[in-house]
Amino acid sequence: MDVRFFAKSTWPIAAAVQYYYATRSSRSTMMPNHTKDLGQYSDPPLLVLASLASGPKHGHAMIEDVARLCGTRLGPGTLYGAISRLEQEGWIEPLPPEERRQPYRITTQGRSVLRARLSAMKQLAQVGLSRLEVR
């Protein structure tokens, strides 16, 4: 999108900045290459919870773990937006900083939410795959 749009826009600057970073950070998800991105999954809060299920991590470690986990590379704006929302919900919590890095861990409530969401996805995947086999 042309940045000049925002100069004439009636949107608050914060909304314009959020739009820019959300679009930039999720560009590969929103505009997939038809063969490269097939099968990738992108629900940033769920991906962060899944990453933290194996233990505490700081931001860069989460980005790398999510990329290995499902092939989706979260941008910093997307990652820290998800972290902020998860922290507000009480599903993750910060640990004491390690030098310049801020590690996070999943809470008991976050584990419950992750388990419920993954179970629902598993059910959907099983039903969807069985329906494909019927054809």
XYZ file of all heavy atoms in Angstrom, residues 10-56:
360
model
N -7.953 9.854 7.389
C -8.514 10.328 8.652
C -8.234 9.338 9.774
O -8.643 9.548 10.894
C -10.039 10.527 8.522
O -10.632 9.289 8.131
C -10.357 11.610 7.519
N -7.553 8.239 9.460
C -7.212 7.241 10.479
C -6.241 7.850 11.475
O -5.366 8.622 11.107
C -6.508 6.056 9.867
C -7.359 5.139 9.081
C -8.634 5.327 8.663
C -6.965 3.865 8.588
N -9.061 4.274 7.946
C -8.050 3.352 7.882
C -5.809 3.117 8.667
C -8.020 2.115 7.273
C -5.781 1.892 8.058
C -6.873 1.396 7.379
N -6.353 7.461 12.742
C -5.310 7.878 13.687
C -3.971 7.253 13.279
O -3.932 6.195 12.674
C -5.787 7.304 15.024
C -7.220 6.957 14.815
C -7.419 6.735 13.356
N -2.896 7.918 13.611
C -1.567 7.427 13.233
C -1.316 6.031 13.794
O -0.752 5.198 13.109
C -0.484 8.413 13.710
C -0.717 9.715 13.007
C 0.893 7.833 13.538
C 0.422 10.498 12.559
N -1.761 5.773 15.013
C -1.533 4.448 15.610
C -2.166 3.357 14.765
O -1.572 2.294 14.563
C -2.089 4.397 17.025
N -3.358 3.582 14.248
C -4.022 2.586 13.408
C -3.230 2.372 12.119
O -3.080 1.249 11.651
C -5.447 3.011 13.097
N -2.693 3.451 11.561
C -1.905 3.335 10.341
C -0.643 2.527 10.593
O -0.279 1.660 9.797
C -1.540 4.721 9.812
N 0.014 2.784 11.707
C 1.232 2.045 12.045
C 0.904 0.571 12.279
O 1.600 -0.309 11.778
C 1.925 2.669 13.285
C 3.033 1.785 13.792
C 2.455 4.048 12.926
N -0.168 0.293 13.016
C -0.557 -1.094 13.256
C -0.869 -1.792 11.938
O -0.477 -2.927 11.723
C -1.776 -1.169 14.171
C -1.464 -0.829 15.596
C -2.720 -0.798 16.460
O -3.831 -0.663 15.978
N -2.518 -0.935 17.757
N -1.588 -1.123 11.048
C -1.915 -1.707 9.750
C -0.640 -2.029 8.987
O -0.492 -3.111 8.440
C -2.797 -0.754 8.944
C -3.080 -1.274 7.558
C -4.092 -2.203 7.358
C -2.320 -0.871 6.471
C -4.333 -2.709 6.096
C -2.561 -1.365 5.208
C -3.569 -2.282 5.021
O -3.806 -2.791 3.780
N 0.294 -1.102 8.952
C 1.546 -1.303 8.228
C 2.300 -2.510 8.765
O 2.709 -3.373 8.015
C 2.421 -0.055 8.319
C 3.823 -0.286 7.814
C 4.068 -0.351 6.451
C 4.879 -0.470 8.690
C 5.347 -0.588 5.973
C 6.160 -0.702 8.224
C 6.382 -0.766 6.860
O 7.640 -1.004 6.393
N 2.478 -2.573 10.085
C 3.246 -3.673 10.654
C 2.527 -5.003 10.531
O 3.145 -6.021 10.260
C 3.632 -3.392 12.112
C 4.823 -2.479 12.190
C 4.691 -1.164 12.564
C 6.081 -2.929 11.820
C 5.779 -0.316 12.605
C 7.180 -2.090 11.850
C 7.024 -0.794 12.243
O 8.099 0.038 12.261
N 1.202 -5.020 10.703
C 0.455 -6.274 10.554
C 0.551 -6.766 9.119
O 0.759 -7.948 8.868
C -0.997 -6.082 10.959
N 0.433 -5.856 8.155
C 0.514 -6.239 6.753
C 1.922 -6.696 6.407
O 2.112 -7.728 5.778
C 0.111 -5.054 5.853
O -1.193 -4.646 6.231
C 0.117 -5.442 4.393
N 2.917 -5.939 6.845
C 4.308 -6.273 6.542
C 4.720 -7.589 7.182
O 5.358 -8.422 6.560
C 5.215 -5.144 7.043
C 6.632 -5.314 6.613
C 7.456 -4.116 7.059
N 8.691 -4.657 7.541
C 9.112 -4.604 8.790
N 8.424 -3.993 9.686
N 10.237 -5.142 9.131
N 4.295 -7.807 8.433
C 4.704 -8.996 9.170
C 4.008 -10.251 8.686
O 4.511 -11.347 8.868
C 4.418 -8.820 10.664
O 5.159 -7.748 11.162
N 2.835 -10.110 8.102
C 2.098 -11.293 7.684
C 1.966 -11.384 6.167
O 1.161 -12.135 5.663
C 0.714 -11.301 8.337
O 0.013 -10.133 7.988
N 2.780 -10.630 5.440
C 2.674 -10.591 3.980
C 2.740 -11.979 3.367
O 1.949 -12.311 2.496
C 3.766 -9.707 3.395
C 3.645 -9.556 1.891
C 4.643 -8.554 1.352
N 4.275 -7.238 1.844
C 5.145 -6.324 2.209
N 6.429 -6.561 2.141
N 4.745 -5.151 2.643
N 3.645 -12.841 3.824
C 3.758 -14.163 3.221
C 2.536 -15.020 3.518
O 2.214 -15.921 2.771
C 5.025 -14.874 3.710
O 4.921 -15.132 5.090
N 1.829 -14.723 4.591
C 0.625 -15.464 4.910
C -0.566 -14.923 4.135
O -1.402 -15.668 3.653
C 0.325 -15.352 6.418
O 1.474 -15.800 7.113
C -0.848 -16.209 6.807
N -0.628 -13.598 4.003
C -1.767 -12.975 3.333
C -1.692 -13.120 1.812
O -2.711 -13.197 1.151
C -1.841 -11.490 3.699
C -2.178 -11.265 5.156
S -2.011 -9.556 5.653
C -3.121 -8.738 4.558
N -0.488 -13.156 1.261
C -0.316 -13.254 -0.180
C 0.601 -14.430 -0.488
O 1.751 -14.267 -0.874
C 0.291 -11.961 -0.715
C -0.619 -10.774 -0.553
S 0.156 -9.277 -1.116
C 0.743 -8.618 0.437
N 0.104 -15.652 -0.262
C 0.979 -16.810 -0.407
C 1.350 -17.115 -1.853
O 0.564 -16.884 -2.768
C 0.156 -17.952 0.179
C -1.256 -17.523 -0.015
C -1.246 -16.023 0.109
N 2.535 -17.637 -2.024
C 2.935 -18.240 -3.276
C 2.113 -19.527 -3.341
O 2.074 -20.287 -2.387
C 4.443 -18.520 -3.213
C 4.929 -19.308 -4.395
O 4.242 -20.185 -4.900
N 6.141 -19.010 -4.817
N 1.470 -19.823 -4.435
C 0.498 -20.911 -4.487
C 1.066 -22.287 -4.180
O 0.333 -23.180 -3.808
C -0.213 -20.922 -5.837
C -1.084 -19.726 -6.015
N -2.258 -19.553 -5.325
C -0.930 -18.609 -6.764
C -2.814 -18.404 -5.649
N -2.011 -17.799 -6.519
N 2.347 -22.497 -4.310
C 2.897 -23.808 -3.998
C 3.730 -23.796 -2.731
O 3.662 -24.709 -1.941
C 3.773 -24.322 -5.155
O 4.783 -23.347 -5.437
C 2.929 -24.546 -6.393
N 4.501 -22.743 -2.521
C 5.426 -22.700 -1.382
C 4.702 -22.703 -0.040
O 5.109 -23.373 0.892
C 6.314 -21.463 -1.496
C 7.366 -21.380 -0.412
C 8.178 -20.129 -0.544
C 7.384 -19.016 0.031
N 7.973 -18.052 0.839
N 3.614 -21.926 0.098
C 2.975 -21.749 1.388
C 1.795 -22.684 1.652
O 1.149 -22.563 2.678
C 2.508 -20.303 1.556
C 3.678 -19.336 1.685
O 4.774 -19.801 2.039
O 3.497 -18.145 1.433
N 1.482 -23.568 0.728
C 0.370 -24.479 0.979
C 0.668 -25.313 2.211
O 1.750 -25.850 2.375
C 0.131 -25.388 -0.226
C -0.543 -24.716 -1.412
C -0.659 -25.699 -2.571
C -1.909 -24.191 -1.043
N -0.304 -25.419 3.081
C -0.132 -26.233 4.279
C 0.434 -25.486 5.456
O 0.480 -26.022 6.542
N 0.880 -24.244 5.286
C 1.383 -23.487 6.423
C 0.224 -22.972 7.252
O -0.869 -22.748 6.752
C 2.240 -22.322 5.965
C 3.578 -22.766 5.440
C 4.475 -21.588 5.160
O 4.068 -20.445 5.241
N 5.709 -21.873 4.822
N 0.473 -22.774 8.525
C -0.564 -22.335 9.445
C -0.128 -21.033 10.094
O 1.020 -20.890 10.480
C -0.787 -23.401 10.518
C -1.852 -23.010 11.481
C -3.187 -23.075 11.117
C -1.535 -22.537 12.745
C -4.177 -22.685 12.000
C -2.518 -22.147 13.627
C -3.845 -22.232 13.246
O -4.819 -21.841 14.109
N -1.040 -20.087 10.226
C -0.681 -18.819 10.846
C -1.797 -18.309 11.751
O -2.764 -17.730 11.292
C -0.360 -17.768 9.783
O 0.024 -16.574 10.415
N -1.653 -18.579 13.021
C -2.470 -17.988 14.089
C -1.442 -17.608 15.142
O -1.104 -18.423 16.001
C -3.475 -19.005 14.616
C -4.319 -18.464 15.762
O -4.059 -17.338 16.233
O -5.230 -19.184 16.206
N -0.870 -16.387 15.043
C 0.273 -16.041 15.886
C 0.119 -16.353 17.372
O 1.032 -16.952 17.950
C 0.477 -14.557 15.620
C 0.004 -14.396 14.211
C -1.192 -15.315 14.100
N -1.005 -16.008 18.042
C -1.092 -16.350 19.465
C -0.994 -17.859 19.728
O -0.313 -18.283 20.658
C -2.448 -15.793 19.894
C -2.712 -14.682 18.927
C -2.141 -15.168 17.625
N -1.641 -18.645 18.891
C -1.578 -20.096 19.071
C -0.159 -20.620 18.818
O 0.323 -21.497 19.544
C -2.573 -20.787 18.143
C -2.734 -22.287 18.366
C -3.322 -22.571 19.740
C -3.618 -22.878 17.284
N 0.505 -20.064 17.821
C 1.878 -20.480 17.534
C 2.826 -20.125 18.679
O 3.720 -20.908 19.015
C 2.356 -19.850 16.225
C 1.613 -20.316 14.962
C 2.065 -19.507 13.759
C 1.820 -21.795 14.735
N 2.625 -18.971 19.291
C 3.453 -18.577 20.445
C 3.200 -19.525 21.612
O 4.146 -19.992 22.256
C 3.191 -17.106 20.843
C 3.829 -16.772 22.185
C 3.716 -16.159 19.768
N 1.941 -19.834 21.882
C 1.632 -20.786 22.969
C 2.268 -22.143 22.697
O 2.852 -22.745 23.601
C 0.114 -20.942 23.139
C -0.627 -19.767 23.747
C -2.140 -20.018 23.705
C -0.170 -19.494 25.168
N 2.175 -22.616 21.459
C 2.771 -23.914 21.111
C 4.287 -23.881 21.289
O 4.884 -24.848 21.772
C 2.407 -24.295 19.683
N 4.911 -22.782 20.938
C 6.352 -22.659 21.112
C 6.734 -22.689 22.589
O 7.677 -23.375 22.994
C 6.849 -21.360 20.461
O 8.231 -21.191 20.671
N 5.983 -21.951 23.401
C 6.309 -21.876 24.836
C 5.938 -23.148 25.591
O 6.392 -23.347 26.717
C 5.619 -20.665 25.463
C 6.122 -19.305 24.986
C 5.308 -18.183 25.608
C 7.600 -19.139 25.283
N 5.148 -24.030 24.980
C 4.779 -25.291 25.644
C 6.013 -26.159 25.912
O 6.018 -26.953 26.849
C 3.762 -26.059 24.810
N 7.075 -25.969 25.125
C 8.290 -26.776 25.342
C 9.259 -26.115 26.311
O 10.304 -26.686 26.615
C 8.991 -27.032 24.004
O 9.480 -25.834 23.459
N 8.932 -24.921 26.796
C 9.786 -24.248 27.766
C 9.880 -22.769 27.478
O 9.495 -22.302 26.403
N 10.397 -21.981 28.450
C 10.514 -20.532 28.284
C 11.418 -20.161 27.118
O 12.390 -20.865 26.827
C 11.128 -20.066 29.607
C 10.863 -21.158 30.573
C 10.839 -22.423 29.770
